[in-house]
Amino acid sequence: MGRIEEFAELRPLLFSIAYRILGSVSEAEDAVQETWLRFEADPTQPRSAKSFLSAVVTRISIDVLRSARVRREEYVGPWFPEPLLADPYEDPARSAELADSVSTAALLLLERLSPLERAVFVLREVFDFGFPEVASAVGRSEDACRQLAVRARRHMSAGRPRFEADRKEREELAGRFFDALREGDVDGLRQLLAADVSMVGDAGGKAPQLARAIIGAEKVARLLAAVFPAMARIDVTTEPHAINGRPGAIFRDRDGKVLHTLGLDVLDGQIQTIRLVLNPDKLGHVGPVADAWEVSRELKKLRRHAE
C-alpha cells in the first residue's frame, strides 16, 4: 500500500482526532491537510503510519488550539464548536463513546482543559491509544501523560450529567419538538422543555442573535412559538439533521442557503438546552450561507404588517 492509500484510509481517524481537539471543522480539515504535506515530504517510512500520522495531527492541533484559545477569549458572545453533521470515523465496538465525545456538551467540557490535557484525553479516552503512543504524540513522558489523563478525566466527569437519554428516546422527543415548533404550539413545546431549559445562540457578532440566554420553559416556549412559524411564512425551511451526534436541524432560507443550525441536549426525558449556531464563519462547511441580516429584516417587516 502506497502513502496516498495509507493516508486516505486513515484520514477519517485523523479528522476525528483533530475535530475533538479543536472543535472546528475548518481547522480540523486544515490540520489534516498539513499532516498529509508533512507525511508526503518525510523521506523515511514510519513503522506504523497510524501512530505517525496520529502524532503529527495531534501536535498540529495542539499548536492551533493554543492560538485559537486567545481568539476565543475575545469572542463576541457565547462560543460553540462548529456544527458537525457526521463523524467520518466509525468503530462499531466503540460507537457510543465516539458519539458521546463529539456532542456539543462534551466539546464544551473539553474547553475547560489545557491543550495538552485535551489532546491526551482525546487520544487515550476516546480513541483508546496506549500511553506509549500518547506520550510520543504529545512529546511528554508516559508518567506525565498518565497524570494529564487523570486530571482531564476528573474535569470531564465533574461536568457530565448523571443520566442521559438513549438515542431512541432523544429522537422521539426531538420529533415531537419539531412538530410543535412548526405548529407554534406553546403548550406542546412547554411540555417537552425542562423547567430551567436554556436557549443560547452563537453569532460571534456576525449575525442577529439573542441578546442573552433565554432561561425557563415558559419564556423559551413562547419565543419559539412566535419566531419559528413566522420564519416559515418567509419560506425558511427546517431540515431535521443530527448535529454533533444529537438531534437537531439545519434552517435554510428560500434559496436553500444555510441560515443556522439548532441542536438539542436531552436529559431525563426533557430538553435541557437549545443551542443555535448563527455565525456564518462556522456554517460554510454545511453549505452556501444565507444572509441572516436580510432574513431578520424580512421578519421585522412581517411583524409590522401583523400589528
Side-chain angles (χ1 to χ4, degrees):
M1 184 184 295
R3 288 200 175 193
I4 294 175
E5 291 77 16
E6 282 184 311
F7 186 81
E9 184 175 284
L10 290 165
R11 189 183 188 101
L13 171 64
L14 303 179
F15 173 86
S16 295
I17 290 171
Y19 178 76
R20 285 165 172 82
I21 294 174
L22 294 167
S24 166
V25 172
S26 55
E27 289 176 346
E29 288 174 343
D30 289 345
V32 171
Q33 182 60 26
E34 177 63 24
T35 299
W36 161 248
L37 294 176
R38 296 188 189 184
F39 185 44
E40 184 183 37
D42 195 314
T44 62
Q45 179 63 36
R47 283 183 294 178
S48 167
K50 178 183 176 183
S51 295
F52 176 84
L53 292 169
S54 298
V56 172
V57 82
T58 297
R59 291 173 196 148
I60 292 170
S61 298
I62 289 171
D63 289 342
V64 173
L65 182 59
R66 283 174 173 151
S67 61
R69 285 167 75 92
V70 176
R71 296 194 303 273
R72 290 174 193 178
E73 289 173 0
E74 300 170 351
Y75 195 80
V76 178
W79 180 93
F80 295 155
E82 290 183 10
L84 184 68
L85 303 188
D87 187 355
Y89 180 72
E90 296 180 0
D91 181 350
R94 307 190 69 251
S95 59
E97 294 94 333
L98 289 169
D100 181 63
S101 68
V102 84
S103 71
T104 300
L107 291 171
L108 289 173
L109 281 177
L110 283 168
E111 285 291 304
R112 302 180 182 183
L113 308 183
S114 71
L116 276 179
E117 287 173 341
R118 186 164 180 162
V120 168
F121 183 88
V122 167
L123 292 176
R124 176 63 183 169
E125 301 299 321
V126 178
F127 294 100
D128 204 27
F129 279 68
F131 276 111
E133 291 176 291
V134 175
S136 175
V138 303
R140 295 291 189 275
S141 69
E142 288 186 41
D143 285 344
C145 288
R146 291 179 192 279
Q147 292 173 6
L148 287 165
V150 168
R151 288 203 300 268
R153 282 195 298 268
R154 188 184 304 126
H155 285 302
M156 294 295 288
S157 297
R160 287 186 185 277
R162 291 182 61 196
F163 305 102
E164 185 157 344
D166 63 28
R167 180 176 178 178
K168 183 178 179 181
E169 180 184 350
R170 290 197 302 261
E171 290 177 350
E172 288 177 349
L173 192 148
R176 290 158 54 202
F177 171 82
F178 287 114
D179 286 343
L181 191 65
R182 281 188 288 268
E183 296 167 7
D185 181 358
V186 175
D187 290 335
L189 288 165
R190 191 190 298 112
Q191 291 172 12
L192 302 173
L193 304 174
D196 58 349
V197 64
S198 65
M199 184 165 72
V200 192
D202 171 352
K206 298 185 178 183
Q209 67 181 60
L210 304 171
R212 60 186 183 283
I214 309 300
I215 308 293
E218 185 68 27
K219 290 180 180 178
V220 172
R222 290 194 176 280
L223 180 60
L224 290 171
V227 172
F228 285 91
M231 291 173 65
R233 290 197 289 276
I234 58 171
D235 301 320
V236 172
T237 57
T238 306
E239 177 188 322
H241 199 295
I243 304 293
N244 290 81
R246 296 295 187 265
I250 303 167
F251 288 77
R252 300 181 185 272
D253 70 3
R254 61 169 57 91
D255 297 320
K257 294 181 178 179
V258 179
L259 185 60
H260 61 80
T261 62
L262 180 151
L264 303 174
D265 279 354
V266 177
L267 182 67
D268 295 336
Q270 293 182 308
I271 295 168
Q272 304 287 332
T273 310
I274 302 170
R275 295 189 180 90
L276 298 94
V277 175
L278 307 104
N279 186 340
D281 293 347
K282 296 186 174 185
L283 299 172
H285 63 284
V286 181
V289 180
D291 183 345
W293 297 104
E294 177 59 30
V295 172
S296 178
R297 286 191 289 269
E298 287 191 58
L299 284 171
K300 289 178 181 177
K301 287 180 184 176
L302 187 66
R303 285 199 294 271
R304 284 199 297 268
H305 289 315
E307 291 173 354

